[in-house]
Amino acid sequence: TVTVVPHVAMIPSAGMGHLSISVRLAATLASHGCLVTFITPRPLVSDGESRAIADLHSSYPQIRFLDLRLLPFDAPDVDPFLRQFETIRRSASLLQPLLTSVTPPLSAVIVDISLLSAFVPVTKALRLPTYVTFISSAMMLALLAVFPSVRKAAGDGPLAAVDIPGVGTSLPGSLIPPPLHDPKHLFAIQFLENGEALLQADGVFINTFSALEAETLAALNAGTVMPGLPPVIAVGPQEPVKFEGARRAAVARRDSWAAWLDAQPPRSVLYVAFGNRTALPKEQIRELGVGLEKSGCRFLWVVKSKIVDREDDAGVLLEDLLGEAYRERVGERGMVVKSWVDQDEVLAHPSVGGFLSHAGWNSVAEAALQGVRLFNWPSGGDQRVCALVADKCGAGVWVKEWGWSSSGRSNEETPTVNGEDIGKRLRELMGDAALCESTARIREAALRSVGVGGMSYEALRSFIAGLAA
Ligand code: BUP
């Protein structure tokens, strides 16, 4: 008998939130002996993405890399990451020659959800099994699945509450990603088309696990959310990619935040970061600065003032907003960094005990894996749905009284939360011992899930075995 080594092509989409799951899945599949060809749509939008792909490249020599050189497309007023989704989608005609050029022939393609409806005609014409990486919670996947019919029923108007069949959850209109209320919004158009295309996929990989979303996963796989959906394969919480140890450690040591974390007491530090796409407006950055100062907590704060990292001038902005005296007042108690840290490494550090986050789904899953208390302050996109899911299962507290902070994304400006209030609440949250229990329980479940014999581990193994058969 001839043993077939499965060969998978992975096609990620724009932004770290989308790239993370593809990079981690590529690394995990390669570690399980699967051949992986990683297809990078270029040019990339952010420096964070360039770094992540370069790290994967240097640490996994067995992974092959190809570039999808994108056709030019411009839409000046659109969020840069959403515009890039559209640019990649419009380059679908370039995919077929790439997919047929690789040897040995592919066993399957794994494509990011934002690209699905544009790419599935190509992959299906080549008779390639087509899997999806879904980058948010199972609850958001359920919303995606029902969205085409919900949109049809609502006509051109905004959406009322959306019932998720089989889950017993009704998502109020205020939690639904704001662009979905406008049927002409580019994101709503893509979301609808990708929702319809889900039925053509052969499976959906999702970075979640049963301690977070058992009921929703069960409903999705039982066909109660939507009949005819492909299997939903929970592979979370995905573990950090194991980069070349020595080189990575050397880089981290050079960064002052790593040395600063080493000097702090166990579980004393509050890590503050709002993902790679959410830029707080200036007034909110100032109030958050005041809040962190007043909280009395030790903190590591990643400041972003621009949606795309390479345009960021957060250093200048901080001096302007908080003044020279801020650093002096906060002293050694706080560390403020511009734009980027290795979040996996921060959350795994023994001195980190809390995480003030925007409830991006990767961040929720990463905090769950490390057992770090999560305080969510969601604003746009899928963040409110993810904050709800985390709150329900005990993975993270949704600090609802802060309302929805304004976000750098269009049409989502709301009032600023006062620094005094932020400080008071953060002090309470960091002192709340009961929260430690639920995060410790979730961490244990997370480790079981990704360990040998665990649900996520076994799901991946049987996926690979299925391809090899
Ligand atoms: Br900021 C930051 N370092 O400094 P989410 C983020 N990340 O490694 P998204 C860093 O980017 P939305 C940093 O670990 C996570 O894997 C982080 O993904 C990494 O949020 C990823 O949390 C961010 O899903 O925003 O995609 O930025 O979900 O609102 O689109």
Side-chain angles (χ1 to χ4, degrees):
T1 54
V2 182
T3 313
V4 183
V5 177
H7 183 190
V8 169
M10 181 82 73
I11 314 174
S13 189
M16 280 306 296
H18 286 259
L19 190 59
S20 284
I21 182 168
S22 296
V23 163
R24 289 174 186 170
L25 200 52
T28 313
L29 290 172
S31 311
H32 278 76
C34 189
L35 278 179
V36 178
T37 295
F38 197 89
I39 299 181
T40 307
R42 289 191 194 269
L44 296 163
V45 178
S46 65
D47 289 343
E49 293 164 87
S50 309
R51 245 189 322 260
I53 290 171
D55 278 342
L56 185 70
H57 192 269
S58 60
S59 303
Y60 287 81
Q62 70 272 45
I63 295 180
R64 301 177 197 175
F65 289 81
L66 288 178
D67 288 344
L68 179 67
R69 292 262 156 221
L70 299 174
L71 301 172
F73 167 72
D74 203 15
D77 297 329
V78 175
D79 167 280
F81 293 99
L82 179 58
R83 181 170 61 224
Q84 184 80 344
F85 297 169
E86 191 61 22
T87 308
I88 307 173
R89 290 168 60 83
R90 284 168 187 251
S91 300
S93 61
L94 306 178
L95 198 60
Q96 192 256 0
L98 274 187
L99 296 179
T100 48
S101 70
V102 295
T103 50
L106 290 168
S107 333
V109 175
I110 306 180
V111 58
D112 184 275
I113 184 60
S114 66
L115 312 175
L116 180 63
S117 62
F119 284 11
V120 79
V122 180
T123 56
K124 287 289 161 177
L126 295 172
R127 297 181 188 282
L128 284 169
T130 306
Y131 290 79
V132 176
T133 42
F134 189 73
I135 48 84
S136 187
S137 52
M139 186 64 83
M140 272 302 296
L141 177 59
L143 176 62
L144 176 71
V146 300
F147 188 69
S149 56
V150 165
R151 190 64 272 173
K152 218 167 279 163
D156 282 346
L159 303 171
V162 174
D163 289 327
I164 305 294
V167 184
T169 297
S170 173
L171 295 173
S174 58
L175 259 65
I176 291 167
L180 295 184
H181 288 288
D182 171 8
K184 295 199 178 65
H185 195 292
L186 181 58
F187 181 72
I189 295 168
Q190 292 176 358
F191 200 78
L192 187 132
E193 291 179 3
N194 291 324
E196 285 171 345
L198 265 184
L199 297 173
Q200 295 179 61
D202 294 278
V204 181
F205 289 102
I206 185 166
N207 185 19
T208 192
F209 60 110
S210 56
L212 300 187
E213 300 191 275
E215 211 186 347
T216 315
L217 283 170
L220 283 162
N221 278 322
T224 30
V225 172
M226 163 72 61
L229 279 184
V232 175
I233 309 164
V235 292
Q238 287 191 304
E239 292 178 280
V241 173
K242 293 181 183 60
F243 292 118
E244 262 179 280
R247 190 188 58 81
R248 194 56 181 260
V251 172
R253 281 319 103 188
R254 256 200 340 258
D255 294 343
S256 50
W257 57 264
W260 179 85
L261 277 181
D262 287 348
Q264 309 309 312
R267 296 185 70 80
S268 67
V269 173
L270 174 70
Y271 166 59
V272 183
F274 299 101
N276 85 125
R277 296 181 53 177
T278 304
L280 292 184
K282 285 183 183 170
E283 311 74 60
Q284 192 61 84
I285 293 179
R286 180 173 25 230
E287 292 302 321
L288 181 53
V290 172
L292 290 168
E293 185 187 346
K294 303 268 175 195
S295 73
C297 305
R298 292 167 201 274
F299 63 88
L300 170 61
W301 179 18
V302 183
V303 179
K304 266 180 67 72
S305 65
K306 291 274 165 60
I307 293 176
V308 177
D309 54 10
R310 55 176 72 132
E311 293 165 7
D312 218 319
D313 56 357
V316 178
L317 187 94
L318 272 183
E319 300 298 314
D320 282 358
L321 282 180
L322 305 171
E324 286 281 341
Y326 183 78
R327 282 183 200 267
E328 273 168 38
R329 285 199 308 275
V330 168
E332 277 299 297
R333 188 163 64 72
M335 173 57 114
V336 184
V337 293
K338 288 183 278 173
S339 289
W340 194 258
V341 297
D342 183 331
Q343 184 163 298
D344 282 323
E345 211 171 305
V346 171
L347 292 173
H349 197 286
S351 70
V352 173
F355 179 10
L356 175 59
S357 169
H358 67 312
W361 189 249
N362 288 294
S363 295
V364 172
E366 288 160 15
L369 179 64
Q370 300 301 342
V372 170
R373 283 170 296 171
L374 182 64
F375 318 129
N376 283 323
W377 186 6
S379 59
D382 60 348
Q383 296 163 14
R384 294 167 208 168
V385 171
C386 295
L388 175 81
V389 171
D391 203 83
K392 263 187 151 177
C393 68
V397 177
W398 179 356
V399 192
K400 287 211 184 73
E401 68 272 26
W402 289 348
W404 301 324
S405 79
S406 11
S407 90
R409 297 180 195 176
S410 52
N411 308 324
E412 291 176 28
E413 295 290 308
T414 52
T416 307
V417 184
N418 174 285
E420 294 279 346
D421 295 343
I422 295 175
K424 190 163 161 280
R425 191 75 172 100
L426 285 179
R427 197 163 48 244
E428 282 167 17
L429 287 166
M430 280 299 276
D432 187 339
L435 281 178
C436 294
E437 276 173 37
S438 65
T439 43
R441 176 178 52 78
I442 288 187
R443 174 174 157 78
E444 274 171 31
L447 292 175
R448 271 199 304 277
S449 186
V450 294
V452 179
M455 266 178 70
S456 297
Y457 182 94
E458 292 305 323
L460 264 177
R461 248 187 31 163
S462 66
F463 166 70
I464 296 171
L467 291 182

